[in-house]
Amino acid sequence: MARIKAAMCNCDCKMKRLYTRAEGGKGWDQVGWMCTCGCGCIAMDEGEWALTGCQDNSCC
């Protein structure tokens, strides 16, 4: 699997990759990014859909 540069949230924190089980239950599919710094930002890969935008001033 090729390395992908981590996306950054508005707080300049590196986001973590989100995965789901691949078709047939073998392996994992990359589906988006989630920030774990506390701002609550979640973005999906296809078209860079932002499910939850980054909330400023909420980082730990």
Side-chain angles (χ1 to χ4, degrees), residues 13-56:
C13 299
K14 285 186 179 179
M15 298 174 78
K16 303 282 184 180
R17 205 70 171 113
L18 291 175
Y19 297 91
T20 59
R21 273 310 246 180
E23 192 72 30
K26 295 183 178 180
W28 298 91
D29 288 333
Q30 301 174 22
V31 295
W33 298 92
M34 176 179 69
C35 192
T36 58
C37 75
C39 70
C41 185
I42 298 173
M44 304 307 282
D45 287 344
E46 188 174 328
E48 295 296 322
W49 296 333
L51 297 182
T52 308
C54 295
Q55 299 170 3
D56 294 330

